[in-house]
């Protein structure tokens, strides 16, 4: 299995992204990811998924979980430790896509 650090090197640059906001189908907030230390990898993954799928759909969640590599197994074993991975795992269960708003610097 690839390591998350190796996966990140294959994704497009997201340094221009300041924040990614996620919304449920009813328009309510589902979360936000700030481009700051500790969440820059998540910003890269979610930005990639947004560019590929236009939203965080079921297919996007499956790909995202693959991209998060070893963090996906850790999130399954320790719920709450990786909230951005947990969000994708939850989407596999409820199958409700999330809309995405990207704010650039």
């Amino acid at each position: 299995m690839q390591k998350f650090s190796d996966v990140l090197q294959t994704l497009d640059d997201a340094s221009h992204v300041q924040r990614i906001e996620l919304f449920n189908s009813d328009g309510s907030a589902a979360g936000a990811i700030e481009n700051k230390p500790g969440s820059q990898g998540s910003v890269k993954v979610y930005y990639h998924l947004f560019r590929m799928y236009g939203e965080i759909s079921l297919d996007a969640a499956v790909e995202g979980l693959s991209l998060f590599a070893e963090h996906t197994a850790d999130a399954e074993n320790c719920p709450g430790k990786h909230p951005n991975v947990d969000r994708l795992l939850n989407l596999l269960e409820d199958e409700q896509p999330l809309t995405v708003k990207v704010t650039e610097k």
Side-chain angles (χ1 to χ4, degrees):
M1 176 190 345
Q2 274 194 310
K3 294 174 71 173
F4 185 56
S5 57
D6 295 334
V7 169
L8 290 178
Q9 293 177 19
T10 69
L11 301 178
D12 289 339
D13 177 57
S15 61
H16 63 286
V17 175
Q18 179 179 347
R19 176 183 174 93
I20 295 177
E21 295 175 86
L22 303 161
F23 299 93
N24 296 307
S25 57
D26 65 2
S28 63
I33 310 167
E34 301 280 340
N35 195 348
K36 61 184 182 184
S39 60
Q40 290 168 323
S42 291
V43 166
K44 279 187 91 167
V45 170
Y46 274 80
Y47 183 65
H48 168 79
L49 297 174
F50 168 67
R51 288 186 42 158
M52 296 297 295
Y53 297 93
E55 66 180 2
I56 306 302
S57 62
L58 183 58
D59 288 341
V62 169
E63 181 175 344
L65 291 169
S66 173
L67 294 173
F68 273 113
E70 73 272 11
H71 296 301
T72 298
D74 195 34
E76 290 172 327
N77 294 326
C78 305
K81 185 175 177 183
H82 302 281
N84 297 318
V85 179
D86 292 341
R87 187 178 296 114
L88 298 178
L89 290 169
N90 291 338
L91 200 144
L92 291 184
E93 292 180 22
D94 67 25
E95 297 185 18
Q96 297 298 310
L98 301 173
T99 58
V100 178
K101 177 185 173 192
V102 174
T103 303
E104 296 185 5
K105 296 179 182 176

